[in-house]
Amino acid sequence: PVTNPQKINGYTGGSTLSEGAVIMTNADESRVKVINASDFYEYRQNSSTRQVSASFTKAEPRLTAGLLYVISDDTPKVYFLTGHNELASDNCSVLKEQLSNENYEVKDLALGASDAPELEAGDTIMVLSPRMDLTDEEYTTMKTWLEAGGRLMFAANYDVDFAQLPNFSKLLALYNLGFKEGIVMEDQDAASSYYGQPYLLVPTVEEHDATADLSNGRLIVPTARAVQYPDMPLSGIQ
């Protein structure tokens, strides 16, 4: 940074580089990851003194994520949809950090905006409890992209009114997906498994590659909304 600041600026885009930061690149320097020193630690604030201090290191996952990024030919993208009063990405800091550590590029997405990125097959859009519906143009954009190989993760809080979201409902219906009203409750016996609260579900995690990382601990699903089974008529019945 002292002897060749222009080279460092090329890596950082002119952003300030903190002392102790790490810069990673591939051989031809076409992919660069800058990790500031503050990103290597988790911070806690003392409730009495209000003093902030580093409580533990996150160096290993940060460095591993950086290595994955610079040696990969491509970085899959995850977009948090905005513009419909969804749960914002800023409220999902733990999820965003985990996705970044798994070599995903995480951004917000406003469909129809002049600076909106071009969606590609393999990209993922996350829609978290929207309160406003898609416009007809946004619905067409989403439908066309999904049919071309896009991926959608949709979550809805128990109080989301799907009667006000016909285009979102129509989009989910293309894949025989939907939600029922209300909250899923455990029965009386099962409720005792987690603080006796029937709305804190403790699902049984089956052995599967998709749930392998969840088998080492207890999975708690609070105030879950019921998923609507697909409407599939019996064969031969008109």
Side-chain angles (χ1 to χ4, degrees):
V2 176
T3 60
N4 197 348
Q6 292 303 316
K7 186 175 184 65
I8 297 298
N9 287 338
Y11 292 141
T12 65
S15 300
T16 302
L17 194 68
S18 61
E19 183 176 354
V22 173
I23 299 175
M24 298 179 174
T25 75
N26 56 351
D28 62 7
E29 301 185 353
S30 60
R31 295 175 70 83
V32 180
K33 176 68 74 172
V34 178
I35 309 174
N36 282 307
S38 60
D39 294 331
F40 287 124
Y41 301 95
E42 183 73 19
Y43 295 89
R44 294 286 188 272
Q45 185 179 55
N46 187 295
S47 58
S48 300
T49 64
R50 315 301 293 177
Q51 184 177 3
V52 177
S53 59
S55 57
F56 62 88
T57 178
K58 299 190 293 185
E60 183 175 353
R62 289 291 191 185
L63 292 171
T64 301
L67 288 171
L68 282 172
Y69 176 80
V70 299
I71 67 174
S72 300
D73 294 329
D74 187 31
T75 302
K77 299 178 180 63
V78 174
Y79 297 103
F80 282 78
L81 189 65
T82 65
H84 312 87
N85 289 345
E86 304 93 339
L87 184 65
S89 62
D90 289 343
N91 299 115
C92 305
S93 57
V94 174
L95 176 58
K96 287 176 63 177
E97 180 178 346
Q98 183 63 35
L99 288 169
S100 297
N101 289 342
E102 296 292 337
N103 194 35
Y104 288 93
E105 183 178 347
V106 184
K107 296 181 178 181
D108 288 342
L109 172 66
L111 291 173
S114 58
D115 58 348
E118 183 176 352
L119 296 173
E120 300 177 350
D123 291 347
T124 301
I125 292 180
M126 302 186 68
V127 184
L128 306 180
S129 288
R131 308 290 174 163
M132 295 172 55
D133 200 18
L134 294 168
T135 65
D136 291 342
E137 292 77 11
E138 289 173 334
Y139 167 80
T140 299
T141 298
M142 291 278 287
K143 179 176 181 292
T144 301
W145 166 72
L146 285 169
E147 290 173 344
R151 301 175 178 181
L152 174 67
M153 177 178 175
F154 193 100
N157 199 34
Y158 66 89
D159 59 351
V160 172
D161 183 6
F162 277 90
Q164 305 299 319
L165 307 175
N167 279 337
F168 271 122
S169 299
K170 187 165 62 172
L171 190 69
L172 294 173
L174 295 173
Y175 300 91
N176 283 321
L177 298 175
F179 294 90
K180 295 182 179 180
E181 299 297 325
I183 303 173
V184 179
M185 307 285 281
E186 293 275 20
D187 62 31
Q188 185 174 1
D189 292 334
S192 63
S193 61
Y194 195 76
Y195 289 108
Q197 301 297 332
Y199 58 86
L200 299 177
L201 307 184
V202 186
T204 300
V205 180
E206 303 291 344
E207 292 187 8
H208 190 278
D209 290 344
T211 59
D213 292 339
L214 302 175
S215 60
N216 294 327
R218 172 177 282 181
L219 178 64
I220 308 298
V221 184
T223 58
R225 185 168 189 153
V227 176
Q228 178 71 52
Y229 283 110
D231 184 14
M232 300 177 66
L234 296 176
S235 177
I237 297 179
Q238 300 298 323

